[in-house]
Amino acid sequence: MHDLGKRIGAKCVAGDLILLNGPLGAGKTVLVQGIGEALGISDVTSPTFVISRIHKAPLPLIHVDAYRLLEGGNAALYLDDLDLDSPRENAVTVIEWGGEESARLSEERLEIVIDRTDDVREVTMTPVGARWQGFSS
């Protein structure tokens, strides 16, 4: 997952939105750590309890964990409270547990689903919009 994240991070530009979904323990945060490494960031940890972290770098990384927002029942409203619009245009934004309420943030995004129902991880990447078309890991 870390190596996949590094390959994705190497392709990132300001304004990118990446949505990650998969069960607990699937490797979402490890993937974000790989993206961070590609951006020159070494201290990426899960923002589960703080919801959102901005990692400063030449190309900053906004790392959001929407898991706790989903528990509240109105994730779209809570996501709006994070005020991601202004810093997002100059950063890469990765949202763990990023569902349809996160998808509305951009018409151009990479949606990644990690399935770990067996001992093998299966990763499905779906580019939405032209930005990520043709990307393969």
Side-chain angles (χ1 to χ4, degrees), residues 6 23 28 33 42 59 69 78 84 101 107-108 111 136:
K6 284 175 33 180
K28 295 180 295 296
Q33 289 169 339
S42 62
L59 179 55
L69 300 179
Y78 296 130
L84 294 175
E101 64 283 334
E107 293 179 11
E108 302 277 336
E111 297 181 358
S136 66

Side-chain angles (χ1 to χ4, degrees), residues 1-77:
M1 294 309 296
H2 190 268
D3 288 343
L4 175 58
K6 284 175 33 180
R7 290 191 298 275
I8 293 168
K11 301 291 184 186
C12 287
V13 298
D16 278 346
L17 176 63
I18 301 169
L19 306 181
L20 301 179
N21 284 287
L24 291 170
K28 295 180 295 296
T29 299
V30 173
L31 190 136
V32 180
Q33 289 169 339
I35 292 171
E37 184 176 320
L39 300 176
I41 302 163
S42 62
D43 61 344
V44 174
T45 59
S46 177
T48 299
F49 296 104
V50 295
I51 313 275
S52 174
R53 280 199 174 96
I54 298 177
H55 298 275
K56 298 192 185 308
L59 179 55
L61 172 64
I62 301 170
H63 184 193
V64 178
D65 186 329
Y67 184 76
R68 288 183 42 220
L69 300 179
L70 298 173
E71 291 177 341
N74 193 349
L77 177 65

Side-chain angles (χ1 to χ4, degrees), residues 67-96:
Y67 184 76
R68 288 183 42 220
L69 300 179
L70 298 173
E71 291 177 341
N74 193 349
L77 177 65
Y78 296 130
L79 196 59
D80 288 341
D81 288 342
L82 295 178
D83 194 26
L84 294 175
D85 290 334
S86 51
R88 237 183 39 73
E89 64 192 30
N90 298 314
V92 173
T93 303
V94 180
I95 303 178
E96 295 186 36

